[in-house]
């Protein structure tokens, strides 16, 4: 039978505020264990939470960027469960009245238009601490230690809406996650680095016969560690659920985990399934009332979003859609491009060198643009040396490579190493004569009409001059000499 796939994400995003959600402890990834803790975030009796205004601002900023309605009145609730990384025995989260509701995120629909993926709600909550086991898994561990640095770090939970334009394919799921992460980075509320746990996904998936209005039972796959694992887990789940439904079976509504080695999902132990969280309003925190001014100020100062930047790159800079998509994928790359572009004389060459040469160096070094030692201005200056015929492209690549390593300015490297193009034609003529003298056979071949061999001779001159000759000039001189 043909089935329709319904996919929804619950995404947790760690906000990069300076301090935690309800206390003044610093948020610092990788700090020594339990170095950023206090009575509030370790849940000592009598300690009272005080809400971090910046976290609320970031939450509203996310809500506006994701086209949500912002609730003027909002409230925190206690989500009760027991786990060693949760010192209070409850997590402060939101249940009724989250800050943001009924939004959407547009992804490309493949026909030149957009598909608005429904977002049910965005709420703010505190993160739990972190257990460090003495072995890979809890089952094998002899002991476990707990680090409360992460306890009470502000988290956004972004919940997809299975009733309103849910995701229908693995391809759409991947596009949604990438666009979501890109958008959150653009509005600068989180770095969203998956490896640091700043962007974590649970995914719900169900199948139903094509045309059916009812939803099938869904499974939830928890704690997905990479976009690739999410795709693999979804692929496995679609296959597994299809086989069960085809054979007349029923899908159990349950939580499953993805085995990254075997590429399969497995049910979680049943006692961890379907917990009753007994939510109730947190009596230590009063209801939050957002003033219109507060919301409007955030709306006015909302940074440019990915689609707006893409449009501007195409219209203002005359960049092709394909190149603009690559440039705007990472906001930092887009900003780098804009900053340097005001210094570049040849915009097209400048763009090509960023997309080809700079990206190549970044990839090889497994690095990102924010760690790049070359300032946008120096990068543009290097391209100007090439467009002004002061250095050749091969020399330009060598200079770029050195700039990438050391961060030194192109002019300094070129001068110090004497890399300027040989402008003196008589000097070039002497080198051409020398190369001709050393290679009588190739010269004879060219004279007999085999022009391919000319490239070999030009190559010899380039080698002799360490790339400092203008190859077009060399060609011109050679043809002139050979025609005599
Ligand atoms: Zn604290």
């Amino acid at each position: 039978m043909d089935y329709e796939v319904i996919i929804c994400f619950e995404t947790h995003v760690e906000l990069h505020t300076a301090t935690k959600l309800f206390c003044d402890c610093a948020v610092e990834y990788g700090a020594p264990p339990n170095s950023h803790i206090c009575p509030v975030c370790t849940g000592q009796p009598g300690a009272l939470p005080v809400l971090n205004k910046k976290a609320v601002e970031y939450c509203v900023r996310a809500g506006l960027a994701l086209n949500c309605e912002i609730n003027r009145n909002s409230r925190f609730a206690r989500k009760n469960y027991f786990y060693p990384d949760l010192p209070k025995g409850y997590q402060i989260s939101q249940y009724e009245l989250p800050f943001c509701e009924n939004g959407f995120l547009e992804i490309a629909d493949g026909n030149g238009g957009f598909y608005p993926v429904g977002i049910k709600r965005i709420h703010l909550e505190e993160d739990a601490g972190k257990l460090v086991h003495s072995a890979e898994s809890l089952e094998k561990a002899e002991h476990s230690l707990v680090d409360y640095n992460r306890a009470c770090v502000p988290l956004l939970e972004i919940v997809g809406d299975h009733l309103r334009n849910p995701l229908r394919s693995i391809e759409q799921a991947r596009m949604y996650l990438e666009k979501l992460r890109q958008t959150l980075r653009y509005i600068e509320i989180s770095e969203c680095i998956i490896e640091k746990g700043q962007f974590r996904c649970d995914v719900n998936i169900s199948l139903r016969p094509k045309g059916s209005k009812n939803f099938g039972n869904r499974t939830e796959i928890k704690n997905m560690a990479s976009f690739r694992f999410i795709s693999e887990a979804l692929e496995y789940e679609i296959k597994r659920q299809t086989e069960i439904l085809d054979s007349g079976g029923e899908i159990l509504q349950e939580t499953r985990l993805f085995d990254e080695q075997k590429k399969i999902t497995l049910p979680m132990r049943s006692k961890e399934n379907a917990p009753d969280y007994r939510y109730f309003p947190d009596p230590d925190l009063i209801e939050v009332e957002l003033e219109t001014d507060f919301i409007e100020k955030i709306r006015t100062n909302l940074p440019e979003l990915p689609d707006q930047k893409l449009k501007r790159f195409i219209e203002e800079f005359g960049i092709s859609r394909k190149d603009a998509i690559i440039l705007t994928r990472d906001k930092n790359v887009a900003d780098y491009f804009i900053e340097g572009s005001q210094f570049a004389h040849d915009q097209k060459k400048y763009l090509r060198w960023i997309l080809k040469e700079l990206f190549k160096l970044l990839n090889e070094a497994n690095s990102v643009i924010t760690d790049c030692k070359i300032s946008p201005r120096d990068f543009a200056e290097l391209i100007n040396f090439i467009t002004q015929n002061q250095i050749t492209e091969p020399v330009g690549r060598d200079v770029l490579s050195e700039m990438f390593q050391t961060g030194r300015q192109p002019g300094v490297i070129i001068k110090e190493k004497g890399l300027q193009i040989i402008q003196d034609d008589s000097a070039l003529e002497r080198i051409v004569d020398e190369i001709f003298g050393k290679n009588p056979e190739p010269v004879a071949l060219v004279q007999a009409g085999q022009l391919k061999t000319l490239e070999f001779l030009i190559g010899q001159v380039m080698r002799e001059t360490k790339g400092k000759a203008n190859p077009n000039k060399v060609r011109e001189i050679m043809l002139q000499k050979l025609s005599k």
Side-chain angles (χ1 to χ4, degrees):
M1 200 193 287
D2 267 354
Y3 298 102
E4 205 172 47
V5 179
I6 310 264
I7 298 168
C8 268
F9 283 99
E10 282 173 20
T11 313
H12 285 97
V13 179
E14 208 174 274
L15 298 178
H16 76 186
T17 48
T19 55
K20 293 186 181 180
L21 187 53
F22 297 114
C23 64
D24 281 340
C25 293
V27 175
E28 188 196 350
Y29 180 83
N34 297 312
S35 56
H36 296 311
I37 57 171
C38 75
V40 175
C41 54
T42 52
Q44 306 300 310
L48 288 172
V50 178
L51 180 59
N52 181 339
K53 191 176 173 185
K54 199 75 189 171
V56 178
E57 187 188 319
Y58 282 1
C59 181
V60 172
R61 203 190 285 175
L64 293 172
L66 298 172
N67 308 292
C68 290
E69 294 157 14
I70 309 297
N71 286 330
R72 294 282 311 279
N73 295 291
S74 193
R75 168 189 299 160
F76 285 94
R78 290 187 181 178
K79 180 179 179 179
N80 299 280
Y81 66 94
F82 289 99
Y83 206 68
D85 63 6
L86 194 72
K88 294 192 292 284
Y90 62 85
Q91 177 192 25
I92 305 179
S93 179
Q94 295 192 284
Y95 191 58
E96 308 150 296
L97 301 178
F99 283 112
C100 321
E101 284 180 289
N102 300 324
F104 62 88
L105 175 65
E106 288 182 327
I107 58 171
D109 68 356
N111 299 315
F114 288 107
Y115 179 70
V117 183
I119 288 170
K120 193 173 171 187
R121 55 186 274 150
I122 303 176
H123 69 246
L124 196 54
E125 63 185 26
E126 59 178 347
D127 206 345
K130 201 173 180 174
L131 287 182
V132 183
H133 308 304
S134 64
E136 245 173 67
S137 67
L138 185 57
E139 284 75 13
K140 290 180 195 154
E142 284 176 3
H143 67 265
S144 298
L145 302 168
V146 62
D147 176 5
Y148 288 121
N149 280 349
R150 203 178 66 178
C152 202
V153 165
L155 277 187
L156 278 193
E157 182 169 331
I158 301 167
V159 184
D161 193 341
H162 70 284
L163 295 175
R164 207 159 38 89
N165 291 340
L167 300 157
R168 306 293 189 143
S169 66
I170 296 174
E171 171 66 5
Q172 277 193 345
R174 193 189 54 77
M175 279 163 54
Y176 168 79
L177 287 181
E178 278 177 2
K179 186 74 176 282
L180 180 62
R181 186 174 60 168
Q182 184 193 27
T183 303
L184 298 172
R185 284 178 172 165
Y186 263 67
I187 60 171
E188 296 177 346
I189 61 171
S190 173
E191 320 269 292
C192 297
I193 298 170
I194 296 177
E195 293 76 17
K196 291 186 180 174
Q198 294 167 340
F199 190 91
R200 320 199 280 263
C201 298
D202 301 338
V203 57
N204 288 311
I205 174 165
S206 66
L207 263 54
R208 65 180 175 192
K210 259 209 172 101
S212 165
K213 290 269 175 279
N214 300 324
F215 288 99
N217 279 345
R218 60 187 159 78
T219 55
E220 182 182 20
I221 315 167
K222 282 244 178 233
N223 297 329
M224 305 299 296
S226 82
F227 287 6
R228 185 165 63 89
F229 290 152
I230 292 168
S231 293
E232 289 171 351
L234 287 174
E235 211 169 295
Y236 177 81
E237 261 313 281
I238 290 172
K239 192 166 142 270
R240 188 185 73 89
Q241 293 192 15
T242 302
E243 282 169 10
I244 292 174
L245 293 172
D246 274 347
S247 63
E250 202 187 328
I251 307 293
L252 281 179
Q253 187 134 334
E254 63 182 353
T255 305
R256 300 175 71 88
L257 289 174
F258 182 59
D259 184 318
E260 294 163 7
Q261 258 90 46
K262 294 183 189 142
K263 313 281 179 213
I264 58 170
T265 66
L266 297 163
M268 268 175 91
R269 286 162 300 165
S270 58
K271 63 175 179 180
E272 288 179 19
N273 267 319
D276 175 9
Y277 292 125
R278 296 170 292 122
Y279 282 99
F280 64 87
D282 192 309
D284 289 343
L285 288 154
I286 52 169
E287 202 172 277
V288 184
E289 262 188 63
L290 299 182
E291 286 172 8
T292 315
D293 277 1
F294 177 78
I295 299 170
E296 288 314 309
K297 204 172 147 203
I298 298 170
R299 195 194 303 275
T300 314
N301 294 321
L302 198 64
E304 194 174 38
L305 296 174
D307 288 335
Q308 294 168 332
K309 200 175 275 291
L310 180 69
K311 194 161 172 265
R312 189 155 72 88
F313 269 43
I314 295 169
E315 288 172 2
E316 256 180 52
F317 292 96
I319 296 171
S320 74
R321 187 174 177 81
K322 192 172 145 243
D323 287 344
I325 287 173
I326 301 171
L327 272 183
T328 56
R329 194 171 285 153
D330 176 350
K331 179 178 183 288
N332 297 318
V333 170
D335 290 346
Y336 189 96
F337 171 82
I338 293 176
E339 204 185 323
S341 105
Q342 55 183 314
F343 302 106
H345 301 157
D346 182 340
Q347 296 287 325
K348 283 219 164 72
K349 195 184 272 294
Y350 166 69
L351 168 66
R352 225 170 33 244
W353 272 66
I354 286 194
L355 294 179
K356 201 161 165 252
E357 307 300 339
L358 187 59
F359 277 21
K360 192 175 141 211
L361 288 171
L362 289 170
N363 278 337
E364 282 168 3
N366 198 13
S367 181
V368 288
I369 198 114
T370 38
D371 293 334
C372 180
K373 289 180 185 156
I374 308 170
S375 75
R377 183 176 187 155
D378 282 350
F379 189 87
E381 296 289 354
L382 171 69
I383 309 309
N384 292 344
F385 278 114
I386 298 168
T387 49
Q388 289 162 351
N389 261 326
Q390 297 198 42
I391 56 170
T392 59
E393 296 219 359
V395 167
R397 273 189 278 275
D398 289 344
V399 174
L400 180 65
S401 177
E402 182 167 344
M403 290 166 72
F404 190 79
Q405 302 294 335
T406 62
R408 295 170 79 207
Q409 290 180 317
V412 175
I413 299 172
I414 292 166
K415 200 168 168 208
E416 197 177 279
K417 298 198 164 174
L419 298 172
Q420 290 92 341
I421 279 185
I422 299 171
Q423 305 286 5
D424 179 0
D425 284 1
S426 59
L428 272 187
E429 284 188 30
R430 273 198 304 279
I431 298 166
V432 167
D433 285 339
E434 201 180 302
I435 295 295
F436 276 6
K438 280 186 198 159
N439 299 278
E441 279 170 30
V443 171
L445 283 174
V446 177
Q447 277 169 325
Q450 196 176 310
L451 283 174
K452 265 194 309 189
T453 311
L454 191 65
E455 300 305 321
F456 164 77
L457 291 167
I458 295 171
Q460 295 302 303
V461 173
M462 295 309 286
R463 217 167 89 179
E464 184 68 29
T465 58
K466 297 192 174 67
K468 291 188 290 181
N470 176 348
N472 290 329
K473 189 77 205 169
V474 174
R475 183 191 311 272
E476 198 182 294
I477 292 172
M478 282 186 172
L479 288 173
Q480 212 173 26
K481 281 186 185 291
L482 292 172
S483 70
K484 273 178 192 162

